[in-house]
């Protein structure tokens, strides 16, 4: 590795500063929109990755990507440049940079109130090194011993990644260890840093599709002091500095950079089920229709069934966009049965065609496969055969995929596609993607294929049902998948250990900008869960955006609410709790799409001033008003947790019984097997459905507003809860077809006032009246003030 130690100012104007470096390298610094800092290195021969598919700036990226130098959608802030004896000072907007010319290094600073805070300071010995015999580039940054690091997508272990070395490389990580395994399914080179001395947050995104390794302090070297590093194996160093100064601002700005999370239909917040064994069975169609009947008989409100790839299998081999007519003699019968049961149907899709697939020759003839340098399909192992992967950077590959999806899946009556096994583990070094006419080695195209596969599926579904929102899923991918799809933590393993650490994985994904996430309830691989573990898993995931039992067990058993008869009532209760809270969950999911805040978040997201919230813990916030504390230990019938405190939150209520607890202390509450400990922030208003009949599930129109006022003896400023309603199905919300209301509680020793005020949108909720409640045992009077919400509120 050769250090790049010496820089010289080559050119500057109002928009950028350009530097020359050793060995023919160049660097460019801009301050896009005054809200980011950007440092881009150019190798002597030009970019290895001349295009980006991640940087969206509020719009989608063309299929063929956008030029790395394209500033459409955002302009650089006007840069004020001062040269102070070999140190360049750049300022513009909320970001500043100090550029040391020798040894070359960049220090990013951000505005926090009326001061500038140092955030990311390049290592003073040397910060950049490049391989002259290969394509590797390494960036090293000073690390304070008290700094902390988070993010990188679907990473295992504690939220705080300090001291770990982690890779971004897509792998089909079946049966991974949720505490230690790495890498997993996502390529997500974005992390968050916290300067503990200033309680300030920042983010760093490396816009590369190359495999990268992030060292957050595992490596020590006497000559360089404390440092962290990022090594990009075969790509470009295009670094985006994302300022805070607080955590919500960093997450919001990153998502604004790479694109908003898609808003799925409301039915996706219901309970779903699947299992490989059902679609793999010789009488799969009959078994799956029987599954719907069993759900009705067990009074389990099933909103969606996710159909495994067995519908396309012959033996163990899978043939996407085909039907096994022995197992499915009438492919339209099962979708019809699902429609009659008000159950949406989602089909598993795989991007590899085995070499005896009936369409193999057609796709190969059109060059629709990832190929070798001679143009032949790049063959590799896939499941139980040998096949080639669809090239989603070739128009022929995209067209074939979307035609097959439409004709064989959507036209049959299936509602959505599930993009699975799309890690693109093609390890042939000669394999290349078409790249829309500019060939790309597969080492830099794997994450892109997962992203574009997801996009191809989403766009075909949008064309098939114009005006309706798209719901699709992807297991793998890079920044950009959130613009199209839901995702999850992949093929987890049944164990109490997985249950505990999956919880943190969801929080890490949320901090990384993936808001529509969840887990396979009960564990996908491994042993069959016992009754207690399955109950606690169903409770722990009951408030995740994605809620599905999905499994593959050696004995052919299926994770389902009735797997253990003695567990069914408690699991039914967990599902009922979720459905009751759908109006609250939907509000958080809607706001996640428009305001870019995660649905699931660690307590320090909402309580940054409470030092105790930074301790590793098993509880999490669901939106700003609910705190969930799942039971994650076998045999436990109590739950001890810490209740966060800030100026607006003197305490918390238990949701189900109204018990009050003062904030800022640890409490122990009852957690019998049928109970999920769930707390509501004082001062909050929680919208729910208002029925005990789950038959209409996620489209149930009744509503109740449950008020949890601050007790009169506490002096705390009022804070607003929010409530969103729309039709839950169409794209009308984009043109104002929704209601966003503010719900504010105020009161004294004898009275509580609820002020409900419409903030935006012209949607009129269908429910009238809406019941309003106070916690059990509350003795204060309730006064209601309605401002344009358009509904009549009644006490209840």
């Amino acid at each position: 590795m050769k250090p790049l130690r010496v820089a010289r100012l080559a050119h500057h104007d109002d928009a950028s500063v350009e530097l020359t470096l050793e060995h023919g390298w160049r660097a460019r610094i801009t301050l896009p929109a005054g809200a980011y800092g950007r440092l881009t290195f150019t190798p002597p021969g030009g970019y290895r990755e001349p295009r980006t598919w991640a940087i969206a700036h509020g719009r989608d990226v063309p299929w063929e990507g956008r030029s790395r130098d394209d500033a459409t959608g955002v302009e650089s802030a006007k840069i004020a440049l001062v040269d102070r004896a070999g140190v360049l000072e750049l300022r513009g907007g909320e970001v500043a940079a100090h550029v040391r010319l020798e040894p070359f290094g960049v220090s990013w600073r951000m505005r926090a109130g009326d001061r500038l805070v140092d955030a990311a300071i390049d290592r003073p010995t040397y910060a950049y090194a490049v391989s002259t015999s290969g394509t590797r580039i390494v960036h090293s940054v000073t690390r304070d011993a008290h700094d902390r690091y988070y993010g990188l997508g679907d990473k295992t272990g504690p939220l705080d990644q300090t001291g770990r070395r982690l890779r971004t490389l897509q792998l089909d990580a079946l049966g991974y260890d949720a505490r230690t395994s790495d890498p997993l399914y996502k390529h997500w080179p974005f992390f968050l840093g916290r300067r503990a001395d200033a309680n300030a947050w920042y983010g760093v995104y490396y816009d590369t599709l190359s495999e990268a390794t992030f060292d957050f302090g595992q490596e020590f070297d006497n000559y360089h002091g404390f440092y962290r590093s990022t090594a990009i194996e075969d790509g470009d160093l295009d670094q985006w500095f994302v300022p805070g100064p607080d955590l919500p601002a960093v997450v919001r700005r990153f998502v604004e950079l790479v694109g908003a999370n898609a808003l799925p239909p409301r039915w996706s917040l219901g309970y779903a089920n699947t299992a490989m064994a059902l679609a793999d069975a010789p009488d799969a169609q009959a078994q799956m229709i029987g599954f719907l009947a069993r759900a009705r008989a067990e009074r389990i409100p099933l909103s969606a069934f996710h159909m495994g790839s067995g519908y396309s299998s012959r033996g163990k081999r899978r043939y996407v966009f085909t039907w096994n007519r022995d197992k499915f003699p009438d492919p339209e019968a099962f979708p019809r049965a699902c429609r009659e049961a008000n159950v949406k149907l989602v089909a598993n899709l795989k991007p590899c065609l085995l070499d005896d697939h009936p369409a193999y020759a057609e796709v190969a003839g059109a060059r629709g496969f990832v190929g070798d340098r001679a143009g032949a399909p790049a063959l590799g192992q896939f499941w139980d055969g040998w096949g080639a992967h669809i090239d989603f950077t070739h128009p022929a590959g995209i067209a074939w995929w979307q035609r097959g999806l439409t004709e064989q899946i959507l036209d049959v009556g299936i509602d959505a596609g599930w993009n699975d096994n799309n890690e693109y583990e093609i390890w042939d070094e000669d394999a290349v993607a078409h790249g829309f006419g500019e060939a790309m080695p597969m080492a830099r195209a794997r994450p892109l294929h997962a992203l574009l596969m997801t996009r191809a599926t989403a766009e075909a579904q949008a064309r098939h049902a114009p005006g309706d929102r798209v719901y699709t899923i992807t297991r793998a991918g890079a920044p950009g998948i959130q613009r199209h799809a839901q995702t999850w933590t992949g093929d987890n393993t049944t164990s109490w250990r997985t249950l505990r650490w999956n919880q943190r994985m969801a929080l890490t994904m949320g901090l990384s900008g993936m808001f529509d996430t969840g887990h396979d309830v009960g564990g996908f691989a491994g042993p069959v869960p016992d009754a207690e573990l399955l109950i606690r898993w169903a409770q722990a995931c009951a408030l995740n955006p994605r809620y599905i039992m999905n499994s593959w067990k050696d004995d052919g058993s299926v994770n389902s609410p009735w797997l253990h008869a003695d567990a069914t009532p408690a699991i039914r209760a967990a599902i009922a709790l979720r459905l009751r809270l759908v109006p609250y969950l939907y509000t958080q999911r809607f706001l996640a799409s428009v305001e870019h805040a995660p649905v699931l978040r660690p307590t320090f997201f909402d309580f940054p001033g409470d030092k105790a919230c930074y301790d590793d813990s098993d509880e999490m916030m669901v939106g700003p008003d609910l705190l969930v504390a799942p039971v994650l230990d076998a045999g436990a019938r109590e739950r001890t947790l810490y209740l966060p405190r800030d100026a607006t939150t003197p305490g918390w209520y238990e949701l189900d019984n109204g018990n009050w607890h003062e904030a800022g202390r640890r409490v122990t509450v009852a957690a019998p097997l049928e109970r999920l400990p769930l707390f509501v922030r004082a001062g909050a208003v929680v919208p729910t459905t208002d029925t005990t009949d789950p038959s209409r599930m996620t489209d149930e129109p009744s509503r109740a507003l449950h008020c949890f006022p601050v007790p009169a003896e506490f002096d705390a400023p009022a804070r607003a809860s929010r409530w969103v309603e729309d039709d839950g199905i169409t794209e009308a919300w984009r043109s104002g077809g929704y209601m966003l209301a503010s719900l504010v509680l105020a009161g004294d020793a004898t009275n509580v006032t609820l002020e409900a005020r419409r903030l935006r949108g012209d949607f009129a909720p269908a429910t009238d009246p809406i019941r309003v409640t106070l916690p059990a045992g509350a003795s204060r009077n309730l006064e209601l003030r309605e401002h344009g919400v358009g509904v009549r509120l009644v006490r209840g």
Side-chain angles (χ1 to χ4, degrees):
M1 302 291 289
K2 284 188 174 292
L4 299 178
R5 293 191 70 253
V6 180
R8 294 290 181 262
L9 179 62
H11 170 78
H12 72 88
D13 54 31
D14 287 347
S16 66
V17 171
E18 305 223 5
L19 306 162
T20 58
L21 303 166
E22 299 152 288
H23 315 301
W25 285 71
R26 299 180 68 87
R28 184 170 185 259
I29 301 172
T30 58
L31 305 177
Y36 306 92
R38 187 182 181 197
L39 172 63
T40 309
F41 278 70
T42 308
Y47 291 129
R48 296 189 182 98
E49 300 176 274
R51 292 168 290 172
T52 175
W53 282 263
I55 306 302
H57 294 306
R59 66 195 70 190
D60 210 345
V61 178
W63 269 94
E64 65 276 12
R66 61 188 285 167
S67 168
R68 190 165 294 282
D69 292 328
D70 183 0
T72 302
V74 62
E75 295 182 0
S76 177
K78 185 176 181 179
I79 295 176
L81 176 66
V82 177
D83 188 341
R84 300 186 186 276
V87 177
L88 308 180
E89 297 184 6
L90 290 67
R91 289 195 181 188
E94 300 176 55
V95 182
H98 282 203
V99 182
R100 186 183 61 242
L101 296 180
E102 188 174 349
F104 174 58
V106 178
S107 299
W108 293 109
R109 311 185 78 193
M110 62 187 178
R111 189 165 298 284
D114 58 356
R115 64 193 178 107
L116 286 173
V117 175
D118 289 318
I121 305 170
D122 275 352
R123 195 173 68 181
T125 48
Y126 65 86
Y128 303 92
V130 296
S131 170
T132 56
S133 60
T135 55
R136 197 169 193 252
I137 181 167
V138 180
H139 178 204
S140 300
V141 180
T142 296
R143 175 179 61 85
D144 185 271
H146 300 292
D147 290 349
R148 295 293 179 262
Y149 306 101
Y150 305 81
L152 291 183
D154 57 346
K155 293 305 180 189
T156 59
L159 273 64
D160 181 0
Q161 306 284 9
T162 306
R164 296 187 70 188
R165 180 183 287 133
L166 300 162
R167 288 195 296 163
T168 57
L169 175 70
Q170 292 179 173
L171 290 179
D172 184 346
L174 171 68
Y176 63 87
D177 186 315
R179 173 64 179 85
T180 61
S181 292
D182 182 71
L184 296 184
Y185 302 92
K186 313 290 190 298
H187 168 91
W188 211 268
F190 168 71
F191 70 88
L192 306 100
R194 177 175 176 254
R195 292 301 307 266
D197 55 349
N199 197 23
W201 291 81
Y202 64 91
V204 177
Y205 174 55
Y206 292 91
D207 185 17
T208 178
L209 293 168
S210 167
E211 176 188 348
T213 301
F214 293 79
D215 189 313
F216 293 130
Q218 186 177 90
E219 182 176 288
F220 287 79
D221 188 323
N222 175 59
Y223 294 100
H224 299 293
F226 284 179
Y227 61 92
R228 60 174 171 81
S229 65
T230 302
I232 297 170
E233 298 301 326
D234 185 23
D236 290 312
L237 198 159
D238 187 354
Q239 178 198 25
W240 289 78
F241 171 75
V242 185
D246 57 35
L247 177 56
V250 177
V251 176
R252 183 186 72 249
R253 284 179 168 148
F254 174 65
V255 176
E256 288 173 346
L257 183 67
V258 299
N261 283 244
L263 179 63
R266 189 161 48 214
W267 61 259
S268 69
L269 289 175
Y271 168 75
N273 217 125
T274 185
M276 281 186 60
L278 293 171
D280 283 354
D283 57 343
Q285 183 171 314
Q287 286 214 23
M288 292 194 298
I289 290 176
F291 189 92
L292 297 180
R294 181 69 182 270
R296 287 193 299 271
E298 297 285 354
R299 295 182 288 115
I300 299 298
L302 189 66
S303 67
F305 186 89
H306 293 224
M307 187 167 63
S309 59
Y311 69 92
S312 68
S313 67
R314 277 81 174 161
K316 294 184 178 181
R317 295 162 70 93
R318 317 278 153 159
Y319 300 86
V320 66
F321 301 146
T322 69
W323 287 85
N324 182 326
R325 295 293 180 132
D326 294 328
K327 295 195 295 180
F328 288 86
D330 182 1
E332 295 182 351
F334 184 54
R336 186 164 56 246
C338 286
R339 286 194 299 273
E340 292 169 354
N342 197 25
V343 173
K344 301 294 183 180
L345 186 56
V346 183
N348 186 281
L349 311 172
K350 302 189 186 303
C352 186
L353 272 62
L354 299 179
D355 55 8
D356 59 347
H357 190 288
Y360 184 89
E362 173 195 350
V363 178
R367 298 293 181 95
F369 289 127
V370 173
D372 60 21
R373 298 193 182 278
L379 289 168
Q381 185 73 28
F382 188 79
W383 279 63
D384 293 274
W386 197 251
H389 284 74
I390 298 295
D391 189 343
F392 285 98
T393 70
H394 195 300
I398 298 167
W400 182 85
W401 181 266
Q402 293 187 325
R403 184 171 64 253
L405 175 63
T406 300
E407 294 175 355
Q408 298 299 324
I409 302 297
L410 303 178
D411 284 351
V412 170
I414 297 171
D415 298 282
W418 162 14
N419 303 280
D420 199 16
N421 294 106
N422 56 346
E423 290 74 28
Y424 272 71
E425 291 194 45
I426 302 172
W427 306 114
D428 183 346
E429 293 182 354
D430 289 331
V432 293
H434 179 260
F436 301 97
E438 299 178 37
M440 302 174 64
M442 277 306 296
R444 294 199 299 268
R446 293 187 192 103
L448 178 60
H449 277 87
L451 168 60
L452 295 183
M453 175 189 180
T454 305
R455 178 174 181 169
T457 300
E459 289 190 359
Q461 291 179 200
R463 285 196 297 269
H464 193 263
D468 286 354
R469 292 180 215 169
V470 168
Y471 172 78
T472 186
I473 322 164
T474 184
R475 191 170 72 178
I481 57 171
Q482 78 287 341
R483 300 191 292 254
H484 310 292
Q486 180 184 86
T487 188
W488 84 106
T489 52
D491 293 343
N492 57 1
T493 305
T494 298
S495 70
W496 287 94
R497 176 183 174 93
T498 299
L499 172 59
R500 182 182 302 279
W501 294 101
N502 267 175
Q503 176 101 337
R504 290 160 174 78
M505 290 177 67
L507 297 178
T508 294
M509 291 166 75
L511 293 178
S512 302
M514 289 176 273
F515 304 153
D516 197 355
T517 60
H519 321 288
D520 285 347
V521 175
F524 179 77
V528 176
D530 63 30
E532 182 184 15
L533 177 55
L534 189 59
I535 288 170
R536 293 307 195 189
W537 216 313
Q539 292 170 346
C541 296
L543 300 185
N544 290 355
R546 182 182 188 266
Y547 193 41
I548 178 172
M549 286 191 183
N550 178 27
S551 57
W552 171 47
K553 304 301 180 185
D554 289 338
D555 66 356
S557 63
V558 172
N559 285 359
S560 68
W562 52 85
L563 176 63
H564 304 289
D566 54 343
T568 301
I571 295 172
R572 186 186 297 120
I575 297 170
L577 173 65
R578 177 184 182 83
L579 294 178
R580 180 182 169 215
L581 287 169
V582 158
Y584 177 83
L585 290 174
Y586 184 75
T587 294
Q588 307 315 314
R589 190 61 194 81
F590 184 99
L591 294 175
S593 290
V594 300
E595 296 182 357
H596 316 313
V599 177
L600 307 179
R601 55 245 214 160
T603 54
F604 57 70
F605 187 95
D606 293 280
F607 297 89
D610 189 334
K611 292 182 180 180
C613 290
Y614 295 92
D615 296 338
D616 190 54
S617 71
D618 293 321
E619 47 266 17
M620 68 179 177
M621 298 294 295
V622 182
D625 293 332
L626 295 184
L627 173 63
V628 63
V631 177
L632 306 176
D633 295 298
R637 297 298 182 266
E638 292 182 331
R639 181 63 157 87
T640 299
L641 71 150
Y642 175 77
L643 293 174
R645 185 183 184 96
D646 65 12
T648 68
T649 314
W652 297 78
Y653 292 90
E654 294 181 50
L655 178 68
D656 56 356
N657 58 27
N659 288 347
W660 166 262
H661 301 277
E662 193 168 343
R665 60 183 61 181
R666 294 181 69 79
V667 300
T668 299
V669 299
L673 194 54
E674 68 277 4
R675 184 175 193 241
L676 170 67
L678 183 59
F679 299 81
V680 185
R681 192 172 180 167
V685 181
V686 179
T688 72
T689 57
D690 197 28
T691 180
T692 57
D693 176 11
S695 60
R696 293 191 61 180
M697 297 174 292
T698 54
D699 62 352
E700 163 59 47
S702 67
R703 294 291 181 268
L705 299 178
H706 299 282
C707 303
F708 297 86
V710 173
E713 61 267 28
F714 292 96
D715 183 17
R719 53 181 299 276
S721 297
R722 290 184 292 173
W723 172 32
V724 171
E725 293 286 345
D726 64 12
D727 64 24
I729 299 171
T730 75
E731 295 285 354
W733 67 275
R734 295 186 183 276
S735 54
Y738 66 96
M739 179 194 73
L740 172 61
S742 169
L743 305 171
V744 179
L745 293 174
D748 53 31
T750 57
N751 297 293
V752 174
T753 300
L754 168 62
E755 184 171 289
R757 183 181 299 274
R758 181 184 291 262
L759 300 178
R760 292 196 297 274
D762 56 18
F763 181 79
T767 181
D768 180 19
I770 290 179
R771 191 166 60 92
V772 182
T773 72
L774 290 173
S779 58
R780 291 188 278 181
N781 298 318
L782 181 63
E783 181 182 349
L784 310 171
R785 297 177 183 173
E786 200 270 355
H787 303 278
V789 176
V791 295
R792 180 168 56 92
L793 306 177
V794 300
R795 296 174 181 86

